[in-house]
Amino acid sequence: MFAIYKRELKAYFISPIGYLFVGNFLAVSGLLFSICTLQQQESSSVSNYFRYLIYAFAILLPLLTMKSLSEERKTKSEQLLMTSPVSISGMIMGKYFASLTVFTAVLLCNSLNFLLLEKFGDPNGRLIISNLICLFFIGALFLAVGMFFSSLTEDPLVSAIGSMDAIFVMLAVNFLSDITIPWLKKIVDFISVLSRYEPFTYGILDITSIIYYVSIAAVFIFFTVRVYERRRWA
Amino acid sequence: MIEFKNVYKDYGQNHALKGISFKVEKGEILGFLGPNGAGKSTALNILTGYLSATAGEAFVDGISIFENPIAAKKLIGFLPEMPPLYPEMKVEEYLNFVYDLKGCTLSRKQHINDVCGVVKLSHVKNRLIKNLSKGYKQRVGIAQALIGNPKVLVFDEPTVGLDPKQIIEIRNLVKELGKEHTIILSTHILPEVQQVCSRVVVINEGLIVADESIETLTEALEGTRRHVAKICGPEQDVIKLLRSLPALKGADIIGRQDANSVSYLIESDEKIDARVPLFNALAAKGYALIGLEGVDMSLEDVFVRLVSNKEKKTEGRRR
Amino acid sequence: MNNINNDKQRNAVTKKLKYGSLSMGFAVLVVVLCIAVNLAASLLSAQWSLRVDITDDKARFYTISDGTKKLFEEYFSETPDWHITIRFLAKEEKVSDNMVLELARSYQSTFDGHIDLEFMDINTNIDKWEQYCELTQIELTSYHVLVEGKYHTRAISFANFYYTDSESGETVAFAGEKAYTAAMIKSGIKENPVAVFTAGHGESLDNGKYPLASYVGLSSEQLSQANKLSLFDTLNDMGFEVQVLDLNESELPESTRLVFISDPQRDFMDYDPDKPDVVSELEMLKNAMDNYNVTLMVSVDDETPELENLSRYLSLDYGLIYHSNVSVTDNDNSLKGSGGKELLGAVAAKNSGSLGAQIVKGFGVDERFVFNNAVKLSLSTDMSVQGEDMIVSTYSTAEAEGKKDVYPLVAYTLQANAIEDDKGTDTENKEYKTAYLFGSTEFLSSEYLNSRFSNRALLESILRKANTVQEYVAINEVYFIDEGLDITTGEARGWTVAVTLVAPAAVFAVALVVWARRRHA
């Protein structure tokens, strides 16, 4: 599993995809950051930035996972992985953690932007940290969704668009939270990625939210493994 | 060393393997022979753990690939039909990855150098895999299988798509490896099996049709020379004439291929050149021989022959 | 053959159990498990707190600053019996604002023996309640807290412990220490300095939003409750009694230290030879300036009309001139979307050692002030006026009447008069009078005082200089989420480019290098 993790990590940066992801992530998040804070000057809102960034994740993160499994399936190089002494879950976890590592590194790199807030204002560092922690877990969830879609198809493009759609749906559920039917609203709040994010914007690390993100990510990873198992036993 | 026990594989309604069983002993180079689509790759993919079987069991060195896949996979080096390469990596990077992947304990640098030496890759170690020729890619694929020095090597059609020189090199390489490894070599090319293997298992339509030593195969192939003759003349008369010729062992109508001639498959004993008597006989009757060419045996023919030889032998024994 | 078939079937069944149709059941099981874990977590969070608050608000909100500590230590050494009682008008467990209560506890423990904390249920102590209402001139509720000192009892409403954003109406900051410390200082002083806002000439705060005429006659407490104007609050916090007076109807009290003329629309009365008996407004002002050590503050904007008497007084006595209807704009150093009207100013005091230099001493060169609808100011070159200077000016990118230049935005004049008494002219002691002219009436608006810009700090610095009676500590309010940026449009533009283009470009450059190095390998 560690060998696969290492290779995946390296593969991101000997092929264009890793650079495209990092570059685009920095550009998009930088732009959102500028729009929400620097350009707003006095009415700067770093929480708006985080909120928009979550939406940007829907497009950015599938770039990281779209090739993970589909490409190997297309070129048949997965045969090497599946015939080597590594379990399928080990293989998928290795790839998942590689994408998670790149994502985390970029998220941290990108956080250098917050130094600008320090320069021109007096940001609440702890709030930023709690937001970042939550964004990490949301990203981890979206990457798991991306992995799942990557396992379904041989075409990276199909995988990317599929996972974008799935993530959009997960985010759009939040718009239903305005409904007045109490039990439905309760369910929507329970499953909505964004409503779970709410406490973090106040600097509160909500363990139940983290459990939620991690468990949903685990379910997607589990399904990914199932896809492979089923394909083997088909 | 390797054992298939009644292995079935269904793809939905399509039965790819219909219960195959065979064994490979330690040190053997087994030719796994069959036409395209016969189930060769499916069987090998099951053996190496890429696919699972619908039913049955497969063992490597006594370890079940289904019960204890990780341990079984450790014993196998596998070169699939399409070498599992990462084109954006360099050869050395790739082999290092495989080394890690297989959890090798041999000295890393030494071992990778050795493997590169064996498959003659040393001078391309720092090149990108995607920039290599097909032959070199195939060698990288073999090198990959050799990493970790597994007891069993499984090569699925290793010479497909290579030029004749490369084919010879690969065959020699496999032969060489056979001295220290148990090898399964799948192929649809008869001479390859004859040249490289010590035993042959023939599979057709998901069933094992023959499991013979290489001598038996050679025997079955030997002794007969085959030609296709194009002859102008009435079909029934010509076939009668051909069958009456003492120089020929047999004759069959293949079919009418153009307006005025019919093609016939004729067989003769290897030691006799039947062409002169054939020509003379036809000329005497006034039929024109307008084409005559030698043909190799098709795989189907070999199956038939192997099977019929076997039947003959068993019959003979019974008698 | 039969045997083989049996085998196949048997094997197929075992495989199915593991991976076949039941795998669907397996998947469902995992999903159910996931839902169960989350439900359990929700249930647990209702029982135990599964939330970790990492904001560390306790320390932020309830720590008493060194300024307050130092000041109070001085009081203790001068008057050992200095004592304050903080009295909540409800039972301890019924106090509705936890932050206000918590901070009171913090005061009690920090100044043990000098500050006490008491609780009085006003529902059961009606008599006492009436007494306190009488004392403070306020209809007290359980949403007030009393600060009782040696001379006065101050009532602070809970709302006054917080700052609200004037635009969104959201509570943005906790200013508890400010409120408590100011009330404690004032309740321990016999006579507080008075800050007078003139009314009767169309004066208003926040550019016409709050006409001052409607506040005439209200007490300082009532004013601070009325509209929660930051200017009033700041004055209160700094120890001033705020009064709004129509000078035609009432005289300036002797304890007046500050006179505000904010955004006047009509002129002031000056000496009228036809009515020699009447003391005109400007005469009253001049008299106060000369005798009571009063500081005058006038704020005007580009719509303030030419007011003959007032303008003459400002320019002749103080050399401060505003050019009616001449706007100053700045397209580079201004807030976005204001068309250059909401412009920024920087520290500008020229003469080191001057009052202006003292006022801006603690200010960095990158400190910025925000103005809106600024009017062109100038300083008279008349030699008879001395000590005039600007404190805040525009950047050189500012433009007025089509000319780019550095224009004053806040100017002042310090006049020293030798005191003449029975023994003749006293050259040792001098009376000072100071006048400030603000080139924008919104400079002191609640919005700007609560902004990230340094408007409030400048006001506080000026007030500290103006109030010679009492020392005051600068206490900062604690923002809940303080996100405002003190950044110019130009800087924002530059950094936007840097953040969105430079970093990605660097990444792509690395990609190019890697590609170039590997391409022919």
Side-chain angles (χ1 to χ4, degrees):
Chain A
M1 173 179 150
F2 188 68
I4 292 174
Y5 169 81
K6 229 168 74 182
R7 196 210 78 84
E8 282 298 306
L9 212 51
K10 197 169 174 187
Y12 278 127
F13 295 103
I14 55 175
S15 65
I17 188 72
Y19 296 98
L20 279 176
F21 171 77
V22 174
N24 281 306
F25 189 102
L26 290 181
V28 169
S29 68
L31 188 65
L32 290 176
F33 177 78
S34 301
I35 290 172
C36 295
T37 62
L38 300 180
Q39 296 285 325
Q40 295 301 317
Q41 301 179 338
E42 183 50 28
S43 40
S44 142
S45 167
V46 80
S47 26
N48 278 352
Y49 160 66
F50 284 119
R51 199 161 282 270
Y52 289 134
L53 194 57
I54 292 175
Y55 286 102
F57 278 2
I59 295 173
L60 289 170
L61 295 193
L63 293 182
L64 206 51
T65 50
M66 63 180 187
K67 280 173 75 179
S68 290
L69 297 166
S70 54
E71 181 88 351
E72 299 233 15
R73 192 166 154 192
K74 197 172 176 178
T75 63
K76 293 263 161 59
S77 52
E78 67 174 12
Q79 265 182 304
L80 170 62
L81 306 182
M82 292 177 71
T83 59
S84 58
V86 177
S87 65
I88 290 178
S89 42
M91 165 183 118
I92 286 161
M93 294 294 256
K95 283 167 173 286
Y96 174 67
F97 282 121
S99 67
L100 192 60
T101 306
V102 174
F103 161 70
T104 311
V106 176
L107 193 63
L108 289 179
C109 255
N110 191 53
S111 302
L112 289 177
N113 286 352
F114 297 123
L115 292 181
L116 283 177
L117 297 185
E118 186 67 42
K119 178 175 159 67
F120 292 108
D122 182 21
N124 186 335
R126 287 157 189 273
L127 266 191
I128 289 176
I129 287 169
S130 83
N131 271 294
L132 279 176
I133 289 173
C134 191
L135 252 65
F136 165 77
F137 283 107
I138 290 178
L141 166 57
F142 289 174
L143 287 176
V145 174
M147 288 301 282
F148 174 66
F149 276 88
S150 185
S151 73
L152 293 181
T153 167
E154 285 188 3
D155 188 341
L157 195 66
V158 173
S159 134
I161 293 171
S163 35
M164 282 176 199
D165 290 346
I167 294 169
F168 272 127
V169 168
M170 294 172 85
L171 291 175
V173 166
N174 198 50
F175 295 119
L176 291 175
S177 65
D178 287 339
I179 43 175
T180 45
I181 311 165
W183 61 268
L184 198 57
K185 185 177 160 47
K186 227 171 189 167
I187 292 175
V188 167
D189 282 345
F190 189 74
I191 60 171
S192 166
V193 171
L194 285 178
S195 73
R196 297 267 184 174
Y197 164 62
E198 210 68 39
F200 291 83
T201 58
Y202 308 127
I204 291 164
L205 298 187
D206 190 342
I207 309 288
T208 53
S209 297
I210 293 178
I211 290 175
Y212 169 79
Y213 293 133
V214 172
S215 63
I216 301 289
V219 166
F220 273 101
I221 293 292
F222 168 77
F223 279 148
T224 311
V225 176
R226 295 307 307 162
V227 167
Y228 267 77
E229 285 286 4
R230 274 202 79 90
R231 211 140 54 74
R232 279 186 66 200
W233 293 96
Chain B
M1 201 67 191
I2 299 167
E3 188 178 4
F4 275 84
K5 254 191 190 170
N6 209 9
V7 172
Y8 287 81
K9 180 72 181 176
D10 302 338
Y11 295 112
Q13 292 304 307
N14 184 10
H15 306 295
L17 295 180
K18 302 167 187 165
I20 62 167
S21 307
F22 65 89
K23 278 187 184 178
V24 186
E25 297 305 330
K26 193 159 188 264
E28 265 186 328
I29 302 181
L30 179 84
F32 198 44
L33 190 63
N36 291 322
K40 295 191 300 281
S41 290
T42 303
L44 296 187
N45 281 333
I46 288 172
L47 175 68
T48 53
Y50 179 57
L51 292 176
S52 102
T54 311
E57 282 176 287
F59 296 94
V60 182
D61 205 10
I63 301 168
S64 165
I65 186 79
F66 304 130
E67 309 280 319
N68 195 352
I70 305 269
K73 285 172 184 176
K74 269 189 183 160
L75 303 172
I76 307 176
F78 179 37
L79 171 67
E81 210 171 345
M82 199 190 272
L85 306 177
Y86 295 98
E88 75 278 6
M89 292 177 101
K90 290 178 183 176
V91 174
E92 193 165 18
E93 290 169 344
Y94 174 71
L95 293 180
N96 266 302
F97 161 60
V98 177
Y99 179 95
D100 290 335
L101 187 66
K102 292 188 176 179
C104 290
T105 47
L106 300 158
S107 139
R108 177 190 291 264
K109 222 175 155 185
Q110 181 69 35
H111 182 52
I112 289 175
N113 276 340
D114 287 352
V115 169
C116 284
V118 170
V119 296
K120 300 195 179 69
L121 275 176
S122 301
H123 57 293
V124 295
K125 264 195 330 200
N126 282 316
R127 299 199 49 195
L128 287 183
I129 290 172
K130 68 175 164 201
N131 292 345
L132 295 179
S133 69
K134 181 112 184 37
Y136 271 108
K137 282 183 184 162
Q138 199 72 23
R139 288 194 207 178
V140 178
I142 295 173
Q144 164 271 123
L146 293 180
I147 295 279
N149 212 5
K151 288 183 182 171
V152 175
L153 293 174
V154 178
F155 296 134
D156 193 359
E157 307 258 14
T159 57
V160 168
L162 302 184
D163 65 38
K165 187 166 168 272
Q166 291 167 334
I167 290 178
I168 291 166
E169 281 173 359
I170 299 284
R171 281 178 189 165
N172 287 339
L173 179 62
V174 173
K175 241 185 196 168
E176 197 61 35
L177 291 169
K179 289 174 184 164
E180 285 170 22
H181 302 267
T182 306
I183 298 178
I184 296 186
L185 173 74
S186 116
T187 181
H188 64 273
I189 303 158
L190 260 178
E192 197 157 283
V193 177
Q194 283 177 291
Q195 281 173 31
V196 179
C197 303
S198 56
R199 212 157 65 83
V200 63
V201 166
V202 183
I203 182 169
N204 194 25
E205 289 175 354
L207 285 167
I208 302 285
V209 291
D211 182 349
E212 303 292 341
S213 71
I214 202 68
E215 287 77 20
T216 318
L217 177 72
T218 314
E219 208 174 280
L221 295 178
E222 273 170 357
T224 307
R225 194 181 283 200
R226 292 146 63 95
H227 289 94
V228 170
K230 277 185 175 179
I231 299 162
C232 301
E235 223 173 278
Q236 293 308 318
D237 294 347
V238 172
I239 192 78
K240 231 178 249 169
L241 173 68
L242 292 175
R243 283 182 177 157
S244 66
L245 280 176
L248 301 184
K249 278 164 72 181
D252 268 313
I253 301 166
I254 295 176
R256 186 175 287 276
Q257 283 176 348
D258 53 48
N260 37 19
S261 76
V262 176
S263 295
Y264 304 86
L265 178 73
I266 54 178
E267 293 180 330
S268 59
D269 197 89
E270 201 181 27
K271 289 155 197 147
I272 301 166
D273 189 346
R275 285 176 295 183
V276 176
L278 174 70
F279 180 79
N280 287 337
L282 289 172
K285 288 277 180 178
Y287 304 137
L289 179 67
I290 61 169
L292 184 66
E293 54 182 327
V295 287
D296 286 332
M297 276 182 110
S298 73
L299 266 179
E300 282 78 4
D301 296 331
V302 177
F303 305 152
V304 172
R305 201 159 290 266
L306 278 170
V307 173
S308 58
N309 274 0
K310 202 162 147 190
E311 276 165 3
K312 271 182 210 155
K313 269 184 194 164
T314 44
E315 272 166 28
R317 249 176 249 145
R318 270 183 208 153
R319 272 178 217 155
Chain C
M1 203 58 198
N2 209 1
N3 204 15
I4 289 171
N5 261 339
N6 278 347
D7 266 358
K8 183 185 173 181
Q9 272 166 6
R10 198 196 60 217
N11 272 324
V13 168
T14 35
K15 294 280 150 55
K16 265 214 168 119
L17 275 171
K18 268 188 191 159
Y19 308 99
S21 56
L22 279 186
S23 75
M24 195 52 100
F26 191 21
V28 170
L29 190 75
V30 167
V31 171
V32 169
L33 197 74
C34 166
I35 295 172
V37 163
N38 278 293
L39 280 176
S42 309
L43 290 178
L44 279 181
S45 73
Q47 290 271 307
W48 295 288
S49 177
L50 285 182
R51 294 172 154 217
V52 184
D53 190 341
I54 62 162
T55 48
D56 192 23
D57 279 345
K58 252 195 146 46
R60 270 178 74 221
F61 291 121
Y62 308 131
T63 307
I64 312 265
S65 72
D66 289 342
T68 297
K69 281 184 197 160
K70 219 176 125 195
L71 185 68
F72 284 8
E73 301 292 332
E74 273 173 38
Y75 288 166
F76 302 159
S77 60
E78 282 167 20
T79 42
D81 64 337
W82 191 90
H83 189 265
I84 295 281
T85 304
I86 300 174
R87 191 184 304 279
F88 283 91
L89 301 175
K91 285 185 199 154
E92 184 162 5
E93 63 276 11
K94 289 276 167 78
V95 173
S96 60
D97 194 308
N98 194 47
M99 293 184 80
V100 175
L101 176 61
E102 200 62 45
L103 183 60
R105 290 203 180 105
S106 184
Y107 269 93
Q108 187 195 22
S109 60
T110 310
F111 307 106
D112 196 21
H114 292 280
I115 294 176
D116 280 343
L117 194 54
E118 280 180 20
F119 300 90
M120 184 193 88
D121 190 350
I122 48 173
N123 297 318
T124 52
N125 295 292
I126 308 285
D127 294 350
K128 283 256 181 156
W129 172 68
E130 281 175 351
Q131 227 173 299
Y132 280 120
C133 287
E134 183 76 12
L135 201 63
T136 57
Q137 295 285 301
I138 286 176
E139 183 90 354
L140 294 170
T141 67
S142 61
Y143 294 97
H144 285 90
V145 60
L146 298 176
V147 174
E148 301 173 35
K150 195 172 173 188
Y151 299 105
H152 306 280
T153 295
R154 298 265 156 185
I156 322 169
S157 105
F158 289 171
N160 281 25
F161 282 84
Y162 299 92
Y163 280 0
T164 38
D165 184 272
S166 54
E167 262 175 42
S168 64
E170 274 175 46
T171 306
V172 292
F174 181 59
E177 193 191 348
K178 250 181 161 160
Y180 273 130
T181 300
M184 289 173 189
I185 292 169
K186 284 200 279 186
S187 61
I189 295 167
K190 204 165 188 181
E191 195 177 27
N192 289 294
V194 175
V196 171
F197 282 79
T198 63
H201 313 91
E203 291 98 327
S204 65
L205 290 176
D206 287 22
N207 200 18
K209 214 163 156 194
Y210 304 105
L212 284 166
S214 58
Y215 297 135
V216 175
L218 297 182
S219 75
S220 198
E221 265 89 4
Q222 287 165 327
L223 279 176
S224 78
Q225 312 258 320
N227 268 314
K228 303 211 58 198
L229 291 167
S230 292
L231 181 54
F232 288 169
D233 284 342
T234 307
L235 288 164
N236 254 318
D237 294 348
M238 300 293 288
F240 288 94
E241 291 282 346
V242 181
Q243 293 186 14
V244 182
L245 298 177
D246 187 338
L247 296 186
N248 282 317
E249 289 163 6
S250 39
E251 293 191 1
L252 285 171
E254 268 191 44
S255 50
T256 302
R257 290 291 166 272
L258 208 57
V259 174
F260 261 97
I261 301 176
S262 178
D263 202 6
Q265 300 298 314
R266 294 185 293 278
D267 205 359
F268 282 65
M269 297 294 187
D270 204 349
Y271 173 71
D272 188 347
D274 299 338
K275 296 175 189 166
D277 303 337
V278 180
V279 182
S280 70
E281 294 169 300
L282 277 181
E283 283 175 290
M284 202 190 295
L285 184 59
K286 281 177 196 171
N287 185 38
M289 293 290 289
D290 290 343
N291 296 313
Y292 304 156
N293 211 359
V294 168
T295 299
L296 176 66
M297 292 188 171
V298 181
S299 70
V300 290
D301 64 19
D302 61 353
E303 284 176 356
T304 307
E306 179 78 50
L307 305 170
E308 201 190 331
N309 294 337
L310 184 65
S311 300
R312 192 177 56 231
Y313 175 58
L314 285 174
S315 69
L316 287 185
D317 282 30
Y318 299 99
L320 301 172
I321 299 159
Y322 69 91
H323 301 259
S324 186
N325 295 318
V326 179
S327 309
V328 182
T329 57
D330 190 334
N331 284 321
D332 291 318
N333 291 290
S334 58
L335 299 190
K336 207 176 129 199
S338 67
K341 299 279 284 175
E342 240 174 329
L343 54 99
L344 299 178
V347 165
K350 277 187 229 133
N351 307 322
S352 62
S354 69
L355 172 66
Q358 285 176 42
I359 285 173
V360 297
K361 205 166 89 189
F363 292 69
V365 279
D366 55 346
E367 208 95 26
R368 287 192 184 79
F369 310 90
V370 62
F371 296 80
N372 197 10
N373 302 321
V375 63
K376 183 184 168 190
L377 304 182
S378 56
L379 302 173
S380 130
T381 49
D382 188 344
M383 291 303 286
S384 69
V385 179
Q386 292 187 347
E388 59 179 18
D389 198 358
M390 48 188 181
I391 306 175
V392 176
S393 72
T394 64
Y395 288 85
S396 58
T397 47
E399 201 175 315
E401 297 171 310
K403 206 170 138 255
K404 285 200 174 176
D405 200 354
V406 174
Y407 295 98
L409 288 168
V410 178
Y412 76 97
T413 302
L414 177 70
Q415 298 274 37
N417 297 335
I419 296 171
E420 290 182 40
D421 55 19
D422 330 341
K423 297 164 199 161
T425 307
D426 181 350
T427 47
E428 293 286 300
N429 290 309
K430 284 177 179 170
E431 285 282 5
Y432 292 98
K433 53 180 182 179
T434 321
Y436 293 87
L437 183 58
F438 296 89
S440 157
T441 57
E442 278 174 65
F443 181 79
L444 300 173
S445 68
S446 297
E447 189 188 336
Y448 286 173
L449 288 178
N450 290 332
S451 73
R452 288 281 314 146
F453 297 98
S454 304
N455 295 25
R456 178 191 290 273
L458 186 75
L459 174 67
E460 287 177 349
S461 188
I462 290 173
L463 292 177
R464 231 169 280 142
K465 291 291 167 199
N467 189 349
T468 52
V469 180
Q470 186 68 52
E471 273 184 77
Y472 286 104
V473 279
I475 301 162
N476 290 324
E477 57 281 0
V478 190
Y479 281 84
F480 296 115
I481 300 171
D482 180 16
E483 297 189 312
L485 295 184
D486 177 8
I487 186 171
T488 65
T489 312
E491 283 171 331
R493 212 181 294 137
W495 280 109
T496 300
V497 171
V499 160
T500 50
L501 296 181
V502 175
V507 172
F508 291 132
V510 173
L512 211 63
V513 170
V514 171
W515 173 75
R517 285 183 48 179
R518 292 182 71 97
R519 134 183 93 135
H520 292 305

